[in-house]
Amino acid sequence: MSLNWTVDDHNFLYGFVATGFRPGGLNISVGLGLPDPFDEELVTSYELGWKSGWFDGQLRTQLSAFYNDYENFQVIIGYPTFPTFGFELNTPNPSTIYGVEAQAEAIFGDFSLDAGMAIMESEIGRFYATDPRSASFTPCNPETGPVSASCIDLTGHEQTYAPEFTFNVGAQYTFHLPSGDTLTPRLNYGHVSEQWATLFQNEARGDRVEERNIVNAQLAWTHGPFVTTLWATNLTDQHYMGALNSGLRFAGPPRQFGVRVFRAF
């Protein structure tokens, strides 16, 4: 269900409520016994937003707030000795993800600027799970526990790979050459705040993914139907962990550069 309101030629308000699901499935058997299947995940999503234009359309902005309510939220618990496998479970109580997002795009002649930011919070509903990195000799019921050295109460923990704050900004300027060609340099900066790689949030075991700041650049030369672009990513060659999977740490992409040629038909 959605409601839209065109306030005037430069302002548009909207709101909607939507439902959806992600299907369940079977877990791969690792070791002895057959693991239980996991159920479908259900979500109810609420969103409010405002789109607007300023300075005769030269600046466009969008602001939105969202709230997602999950039933049977699907989470993955990894096996440290079998990195290619994961055990997927459903949280027995509702989980939520909510936040705000904002975007802006400005074009003033040959100069253009774009930016975006997001603030997000996530909370796992009451849920107990066994940390596979700990020796476990006692049962761990997802609904009741009990709490032990290996059976962890994950209630209120953040969803994995869900940074609380992200921000990006990019700018470019088009230079017009006497031959009719154009030369357009562009610079981008992106920030991703720290986040958790596992639901157990054990910093001593390396579960925290540190924040990162990535700078990218490119120079595009337009000549008739051809666009030749020199590009480079992660200019500062920042070293960071991009992901963690069952004890294996995966590095983020290092500095990369190249040339791209495009022809329009």
Side-chain angles (χ1 to χ4, degrees), residues 28 30 76-87 245-248 250:
I28 298 175
V30 179
I76 297 177
I77 307 297
Y79 288 95
T81 54
F82 298 93
T84 57
F85 298 102
F87 189 71
N245 181 13
S246 300
L248 296 179
F250 297 89

Side-chain angles (χ1 to χ4, degrees), residues 225-237:
F226 292 94
V227 180
T228 303
T229 304
L230 302 176
W231 58 267
T233 57
N234 193 4
L235 278 175
T236 61
D237 199 24

Side-chain angles (χ1 to χ4, degrees), residues 212-227:
R212 55 184 180 266
N213 299 281
I214 304 299
V215 179
N216 304 323
Q218 68 175 42
L219 179 63
W221 170 43
T222 301
H223 176 71
F226 292 94
V227 180

Side-chain angles (χ1 to χ4, degrees), residues 111-169:
F111 174 76
S112 59
L113 177 74
D114 55 87
M117 60 83 67
I119 300 173
M120 183 173 64
E121 295 287 342
S122 58
E123 297 179 5
I124 298 294
R126 181 165 296 278
F127 176 52
Y128 299 85
T130 297
D131 189 338
R133 298 166 296 186
S134 302
S136 176
F137 304 99
T138 58
C140 184
N141 186 294
E143 296 189 36
T144 60
V147 173
S148 67
S150 60
C151 186
I152 312 299
D153 183 0
L154 303 178
T155 305
H157 283 208
E158 297 175 13
Q159 166 64 333
T160 57
Y161 301 108
E164 292 185 357
F165 179 71
T166 58
F167 173 76
N168 65 85
V169 60

Side-chain angles (χ1 to χ4, degrees), residues 3 18 23 25 34 40 80 88 94 121 131 147 168-169 172 183 229 233 241 243 255:
L3 291 174
L34 183 65
E40 67 179 8
E88 195 148 357
E121 295 287 342
D131 189 338
V147 173
N168 65 85
V169 60
Q172 67 181 47
L183 201 61
T229 304
T233 57
M241 182 180 75
R255 181 192 296 125

Side-chain angles (χ1 to χ4, degrees), residues 9-49:
D9 291 341
H10 305 289
N11 293 277
F12 175 75
L13 302 176
Y14 70 91
F16 71 80
V17 179
T19 59
F21 77 98
R22 183 162 56 176
L26 300 175
N27 282 298
I28 298 175
S29 180
V30 179
L32 300 176
L34 183 65
D36 294 331
F38 55 95
D39 294 328
E40 67 179 8
E41 175 185 280
L42 306 173
V43 61
T44 302
S45 179
Y46 307 87
E47 184 171 334
L48 295 172

